[in-house]
Amino acid sequence: MLSDHTVSILIFAGIDVIMALSFYLPASAGQLSAGQGGFMALGAYTAAYLTVQHGVPFPLALAAGGLVGGLVGLAVGFPALRLRGLYLVLVTFGFGEMVRVLFLNAPAFGGPGGFAGIPPATTIWHVLGLLIVLCYFFTRLSGSRMGRAFAALRDDEAAAEAMGVNSTYVKLAAFTAGGVIAGLAGALYAHYTLFIDPEAFGVGRSLFVMLYAVFGGLASFWGAVVGAATLSVLPELLRWVKDWREIFYGLLVLTMMLVRPQGLLDTTLLARLSLRSERAAARG
């Protein structure tokens, strides 16, 4: 039987993994978003408002959080269609800050004092269940026509369009799906912490989400999973250094990015693992 503390660590780590996947999805199509914290905030506040103010059952509130995140992701995707690289990062960063300030000045959502009274609903099974669904989704996506379109856009947008890839549709689909995933993570977060405030979804949240995915490696969605899980649990493993924990955490991340800038899981490693799996299946 797991202790409450261990369950709490696993739930927060699982939510971080979900957020890292929400960043990886548009990134796999060459769209770097620094606004995932904003989508998470929309999902969290939407779900919390529905359960607290209208008594909506948690599953419906969870779905609503994902839906709002997806719809806003679609809206943000339109002005971002012609942007890439740093310009896209700046636009999505501005979006995230806009959402934070919006809730900061919205009395209906608690304003700067935060939104309290959220009923406890999120369990480790909700988080684990969503992670299983997402891993299955990404596994199927990688070998699908849409997955190949994502990879083509990431590598060379002009060449992808010349081969018939509808870049507008693919980019909007990537932003929308990323918004849905982040919205679901926000709803799970709100119904576990039972209190949310705008600062919990500020620029720091979005930057850590990006760090998780980059640390693990953008060659595959497994990089986002491994990176988020590692960096989420690492602070707990460093409790023994007490006041030096954050310094050690930063040094470890910095050293890792200097030694392996491609991340923990790069293309070469993934290819080797895939080859071993195929050989094992052939022997069986």
Side-chain angles (χ1 to χ4, degrees):
M1 182 67 68
L2 299 176
S3 67
D4 292 341
H5 180 66
T6 301
V7 170
S8 179
I9 293 173
L10 293 176
I11 288 177
F12 281 122
I15 292 174
D16 285 339
V17 171
I18 295 171
M19 285 300 298
L21 290 173
S22 80
F23 170 82
Y24 170 80
L25 186 56
S28 67
Q31 305 292 98
L32 298 178
S33 172
Q36 296 310 107
F39 295 121
M40 185 182 186
L42 289 167
Y45 275 98
T46 297
Y49 186 82
L50 289 175
T51 53
V52 173
Q53 299 296 336
H54 300 285
V56 175
F58 174 63
L60 293 180
L62 178 65
L67 178 62
V68 170
L71 290 175
V72 176
L74 177 63
V76 173
F78 275 104
L81 286 175
R82 297 185 178 276
L83 300 174
R84 288 181 67 87
L86 179 61
Y87 298 102
L88 180 59
V89 171
L90 291 175
V91 167
T92 52
F93 169 78
F95 158 74
E97 283 299 282
M98 181 185 71
V99 172
R100 184 184 67 83
V101 174
L102 173 67
F103 286 118
L104 198 62
N105 293 279
F109 294 95
F115 196 84
I118 305 171
T122 298
T123 67
I124 191 171
W125 301 113
H126 290 120
V127 176
L128 182 60
L130 180 56
L131 282 174
I132 292 173
V133 171
L134 288 175
C135 287
Y136 176 76
F137 166 76
F138 278 99
T139 300
R140 296 298 300 269
L141 178 66
S142 61
S144 69
R145 182 177 179 182
M146 181 63 77
R148 291 191 293 271
F150 281 3
L153 276 181
R154 180 189 62 217
D155 295 338
D156 192 325
E157 183 173 341
E161 291 180 342
M163 291 187 295
V165 174
N166 187 335
S167 61
T168 298
Y169 171 75
V170 173
K171 288 181 180 180
L172 290 178
F175 258 104
T176 301
V180 169
I181 297 172
L184 292 172
L188 291 172
Y189 176 85
H191 287 84
Y192 185 72
T193 60
L194 312 184
F195 171 84
I196 52 176
D197 69 288
E199 299 304 323
F201 309 101
V203 60
R205 173 75 64 176
S206 295
L207 291 179
F208 265 102
V209 169
M210 296 175 70
L211 174 62
Y212 294 153
V214 174
F215 184 86
L218 294 175
S220 165
F221 77 93
W222 288 114
V225 173
V226 172
T230 301
L231 293 183
S232 296
V233 176
L234 188 59
E236 294 299 320
L237 300 179
L238 292 175
R239 279 186 176 275
W240 61 277
V241 295
K242 299 181 180 179
D243 295 339
W244 292 86
R245 180 170 58 171
E246 293 184 4
I247 296 176
F248 271 86
Y249 183 90
L251 286 175
L252 286 173
V253 173
L254 180 61
T255 302
M256 172 62 194
M257 299 314 296
L258 289 174
V259 174
R260 286 184 65 85
Q262 71 271 37
L264 285 172
L265 300 181
D266 61 5
T267 307
T268 303
L269 178 59
L270 290 169
R272 289 176 181 173
L273 292 175
S274 177
L275 182 60
R276 288 180 182 177
S277 299
E278 292 175 0
R279 289 176 176 174
R283 292 190 189 117

